[in-house]
Amino acid sequence: MSKQNAAFIDHGAIFRLIRDEAGIVRSHVAARVGISKSTAERMAQALVDAGLVIETDGADSRRGRGGIGLSVRPESPCAVGIDLGASHVDLAAVDMAGGVTHAVRERIDPSMTREALLAVLETASARLLDALHAEGRRVLGIGFGDPGVLDLAGGVSLSATNLPAWRGVPVVAHLRERFGVPVRLEASPRVKCLGEARYGAARGVTGFLLVDLGMGVGLGMYSRGRLYGGEGGCGGELGHMVVVPDGPICACGGRGCLEAVAGSAALVRDARAALAGGAPGMLRATPPEALTARHIIEAADSGDRLAQGIVNSAVRTLGIAIGNVCNLLNPRMVVLAGGLSKAGSLMSALETVVRATVLPVIGQALAITSSQVPDTGGVLGAAELILGDFADAPLSSLAESRACS
C-alpha cells in the first residue's frame, strides 16, 4: 500500500472515530486507530484545518484531565434520508454528527398509483432540499430506504407487497435526475439496521440482526461491520420464508409466508374472521374495519382469550423463525423494531420462544433487545448510506466538499 493511500485510510479511520465518540481527546486517538501519536496528531489537525472537526475543552473524566476533545463540526455537510413505508414516508436532513436538522412525514395510501407516490416523494424532497439550500447547507446526497424487493445494481425497486403500484421504479435514476445529487438505494429493513448500528442498541456490535415487526416482517443483517443483503441485494426476506405450506395467501403471491401467518396484518385478519364467526370477547367493542394489531395485543394483555390465542400463535411462529435464523447466522444480538416491538408482553414471550429455539452455544452469547432509535429511525440509516461514504473518502475529497459548503 502506498504512503498516500495509507494516509487516506488513516484520515478516514480518525474521522469515523471522532464521529462515533464525540469529544475524544487527541491522546486517545492514536491507540484506538493503531497509528503513532505523531501521525494521529497530524491527521487530526488536518481534519481541523479542513473545517470538518472542531476542538472542545475536555472537561469530563472520560476525555482525560486537561485534554482537548475533538468533535464533528455541527455545520458539517449533511445528507437527506428517505424511508418509504406502507402508510407514510419519512424524510430528514442528517449531519455528520447524527443531528437531525429538518424532518418531514407525509401520509400515503397503499392504493396510490406509482405516479402519485412519486409526486409525494418529489414534493416533500424538494421542500426539504430548498430549506437546506436556503441555509447554505451542503447536501452530499440522498439515501433511500425502500420497502420492496430491489435490483441494487440497477437502482430499481422491483416490487413491494404493501404498495402494489410500486413496481419497476428506477428510484436512483429518477431522484438523481430530479435533484442532481448522488443517490443510494437500500431495503428499508436494512437502513433501519444501519441506523441501529450507528445510533442505537447495536453500536459497537459487528454482527447482529434487526427484525422489523411492522405491517410485514422485515430483516436487516449486519455482519463484520457491514450490511449484508445477498449477492443480488434481495437477501433477508424473512417475511417470505414459508412456515406453513399451503397456508394463507401472502401479498407476494405465495402461500404460508411468515408475514402472512404472523405479521400485524395477519393478526387483524384472524381476529376479524373469528369475530365474523361469532367468537365472543373484548374485541367486539371495536368495529372490525377499525381493528388494529394494537387492539389485539392490548386485549390479550387484559386476559381476553380470543386475543391471547391469536397473539400466542403468532409469537410462537415468529420466535421459531427468528431462532432458526439465529442458528443459521450466529449473531451476537437481535434487535426487535417496528410497531409490535413496543408491546412489552409480546416481546418477552417472543424472546422466550427464540431462546428455546436456538442452540445453547449460540443462545449463551445472544442478546435480544428492542430498538433504541425513534420510529423515524429509518431516515438515520438511509442518510448514513451517504454519510458513511463521505466519512470513508480521502481527505482531499473531504476538504473539497467542505470548501463547497
Side-chain angles (χ1 to χ4, degrees):
M1 179 184 297
S2 69
K3 290 183 178 180
Q4 185 182 27
N5 286 338
F8 288 166
I9 291 173
D10 289 339
H11 281 113
I14 291 174
F15 191 49
R16 287 193 302 274
L17 178 61
I18 295 170
R19 285 188 73 207
D20 290 341
E21 299 189 29
I24 188 170
V25 295
R26 295 180 186 232
S27 59
H28 295 169
V29 169
R32 295 295 302 277
V33 179
I35 56 179
S36 70
K37 289 184 178 180
S38 61
T39 300
E41 175 71 24
R42 176 167 51 84
M43 297 296 178
Q45 187 59 47
L47 291 169
V48 172
D49 293 343
L52 296 165
V53 169
I54 58 173
E55 296 178 333
T56 57
D57 290 336
D60 61 43
S61 59
R62 183 182 70 81
R63 294 178 180 174
R65 224 169 151 181
I68 297 176
L70 298 169
S71 297
V72 173
R73 181 180 291 276
E75 303 84 8
S76 64
C78 64
V80 171
I82 302 177
D83 188 29
L84 177 62
S87 60
H88 58 264
V89 56
D90 288 312
L91 305 91
V94 184
D95 63 30
M96 292 299 302
V100 176
T101 60
H102 299 72
V104 177
R105 168 169 282 193
E106 296 288 348
R107 302 294 301 182
I108 59 174
D109 190 299
S111 65
M112 293 173 73
T113 65
R114 173 175 131 163
E115 290 69 27
L117 289 168
L118 282 170
V120 171
L121 287 170
E122 284 192 20
T123 301
S125 298
R127 189 164 68 248
L128 184 59
L129 287 164
D130 286 346
L132 292 169
H133 291 149
E135 296 176 358
R137 295 299 296 269
R138 168 72 170 173
V139 179
L140 299 171
I142 297 172
F144 192 96
D146 191 283
V149 178
L150 308 178
D151 170 11
L152 286 181
V156 177
S157 179
L158 300 174
S159 64
T161 56
N162 292 319
L163 291 174
W166 194 250
R167 303 178 65 86
V169 184
V171 177
V172 170
H174 187 87
L175 293 178
R176 188 169 55 207
E177 180 178 349
R178 173 66 176 81
F179 298 108
V181 296
V183 179
R184 286 279 308 277
L185 175 68
E186 189 52 273
S188 185
R190 292 202 284 272
V191 299
K192 291 179 181 178
C193 184
L194 188 57
E196 205 70 46
R198 178 76 180 88
Y199 304 103
R203 289 188 65 180
V205 180
T206 58
F208 72 97
L209 305 177
L210 179 134
V211 181
D212 188 14
L213 301 173
M215 288 292 291
V217 180
L219 177 68
M221 299 179 287
Y222 198 76
S223 177
R224 299 185 180 182
R226 300 278 182 181
L227 287 178
Y228 179 74
E231 295 304 308
C234 297
E237 290 293 335
L238 175 63
H240 300 290
M241 176 189 294
V242 176
V243 294
V244 180
D246 300 323
I249 297 176
C250 180
C252 74
R255 280 188 174 272
C257 295
L258 179 62
E259 69 177 49
V261 173
S264 293
L267 268 63
V268 173
R269 179 203 63 217
D270 291 348
R272 287 173 177 168
L275 293 173
M282 297 172 59
L283 297 178
R284 288 202 165 276
T286 304
E289 64 276 8
L291 196 63
T292 66
R294 175 64 61 183
H295 291 123
I296 298 167
I297 292 168
E298 289 175 352
D301 287 344
S302 298
D304 182 79
R305 294 184 64 182
L306 170 61
Q308 285 179 337
I310 293 170
V311 170
N312 290 343
S313 177
V315 164
R316 177 174 171 77
T317 304
L318 283 169
I320 291 173
I322 295 169
N324 283 332
V325 174
C326 289
N327 283 336
L328 182 67
L329 299 177
N330 188 25
R332 285 289 175 260
M333 177 181 286
V334 173
V335 179
L336 302 170
L340 292 184
S341 70
K342 295 177 177 58
S345 57
L346 186 149
M347 291 301 98
S348 177
L350 184 60
E351 178 173 356
T352 298
V353 179
V354 172
R355 293 199 178 280
T357 304
V358 298
L359 292 169
V361 67
I362 292 176
Q364 287 172 4
L366 180 66
I368 302 176
T369 186
S370 294
S371 170
Q372 291 182 6
V373 296
D375 288 341
T376 55
V379 297
L380 295 173
E384 184 63 20
L385 294 170
I386 299 293
L387 297 175
D389 286 348
F390 177 78
D392 288 337
L395 180 62
S396 57
S397 297
L398 301 181
E400 178 183 354
S401 182
R402 171 60 184 168
C404 294
S405 65

